[in-house]
Amino acid sequence: MRLARVVAGAITAAALAAGTVSLAAPASAATVNYVALGDSYSAGVGAGNYDSSSGSCSRSYSSYPYLWAAQTGANFTDVACSGAKTGDVLSSQLSALNSSTTEVSITIGGNDAGFANTMETCVLSGTSSCLSAVSSAESYARNTLPGLLANTYSQIHSHAPNAHVVVLSYPHLYQVPGSCLFGISDTSRSAINGAADILDGVINKAAANAGFTFADVRGSFDQGHEICGDSDQWLNSTTWPISDSYHPTADGQQYGYLPEFSASA
């Protein structure tokens, strides 16, 4: 081994002396052109630190898209918006995509299925009404949402044909049983978590059909970080402003969503 190294060193030295060795410079990393699409979970509602120029979209500098772009140095465009449905992605977000887009993230579908209205019913109207609202949301997710997602994902691919697309899930909101002494019943909490599973299952299947990557955040939040959890909570319960309720905190974005997106991007 030592003789081989001596011989190799001699050959290299001779070549350098003769000016015959070319040392190639390392190739520069390809530019990442990243676009964040979707609803409040991608905009960062609930995380604070909002970009005042984003208006009612409430985009946060603490959201997982901003954090990932800052870490990677990607060229970044954020059009995620609070309250967005699949129709809003089609009408007002797709214009951010083009053939140069290389990375896309999205959370979408929760508002189509009536997430906000369901939570309002569960908080204000008792267990029976909550279960009815959850059942309606699940029916919509099973029967209507798949077609809406298929069309949305198809349009994303059409507008950004060279992009890698990551579709992220929604977390379970509650640890059941948990540490909460007040609020909605454990029956309602379990039903809401079950609806999240149905919604995420529909999203996962639609993403797979489109050839997109599905990133599931439930495992990260299901370590006691849900509402009523026994660890640091990464989700807001009922809070002020009311729009922040039932959305990830800054920790939820950083430790729940960001690692899953980073691993999938």
Side-chain angles (χ1 to χ4, degrees):
M1 181 65 69
R2 184 174 181 275
L3 177 59
R5 289 176 179 172
V6 171
V7 172
I11 293 172
T12 301
L16 287 172
T20 58
V21 171
S22 174
L23 301 178
S28 59
T31 300
V32 176
N33 296 314
Y34 169 43
V35 178
L37 307 174
D39 57 22
S40 54
Y41 273 67
S42 290
V45 172
N49 194 23
Y50 298 117
D51 176 3
S52 59
S53 68
S54 67
S56 61
C57 286
S58 299
R59 300 183 191 111
S60 171
Y61 293 116
S62 299
S63 67
Y64 77 84
Y66 267 100
L67 296 175
W68 189 81
Q71 286 182 359
T72 61
N75 293 331
F76 178 44
T77 302
D78 189 3
V79 291
C81 191
S82 177
K85 298 181 179 181
T86 53
D88 298 303
V89 174
L90 297 176
S91 65
S92 61
Q93 297 186 12
L94 290 180
S95 59
L97 305 174
N98 56 53
S99 60
S100 297
T101 304
T102 59
E103 191 72 35
V104 174
S105 66
I106 185 170
T107 54
I108 203 68
N111 291 317
D112 293 82
F115 167 77
N117 290 337
T118 299
M119 290 307 303
E120 182 178 352
T121 298
C122 289
V123 170
L124 299 178
S125 301
T127 299
S128 178
S129 295
C130 177
L131 297 182
S132 178
V134 168
S135 179
S136 295
E138 290 176 345
S139 178
Y140 187 96
R142 289 191 180 102
N143 299 312
T144 304
L145 188 59
L148 297 176
L149 291 176
N151 183 45
T152 301
Y153 296 163
S154 175
Q155 290 298 313
I156 290 172
H157 177 70
S158 177
H159 283 73
N162 301 310
H164 174 249
V165 181
V166 180
V167 179
L168 294 99
S169 75
Y170 298 96
H172 292 140
L173 291 184
Y174 293 99
Q175 179 173 296
V176 184
S179 59
C180 294
L181 299 178
F182 305 100
I184 66 176
S185 67
D186 278 353
T187 299
S188 293
R189 291 169 182 152
S190 295
I192 291 167
N193 285 351
D197 287 332
I198 290 173
L199 177 61
D200 286 337
V202 169
I203 293 170
N204 186 2
K205 184 176 180 179
N209 289 341
F212 295 168
T213 300
F214 179 73
D216 195 346
V217 303
R218 284 172 292 181
S220 297
F221 282 85
D222 286 355
Q223 304 297 318
H225 300 297
E226 314 99 307
I227 300 168
C228 304
D230 52 17
S231 188
D232 293 333
Q233 293 186 21
W234 293 350
L235 289 155
N236 292 296
S237 185
T238 305
T239 189
W240 187 261
I242 197 67
S243 58
D244 285 2
S245 301
Y246 313 112
H247 286 85
T249 64
D251 282 350
Q253 290 285 336
Q254 182 174 359
Y255 302 119
Y257 269 89
L258 177 62
E260 297 300 330
F261 178 56
S262 298
S264 300

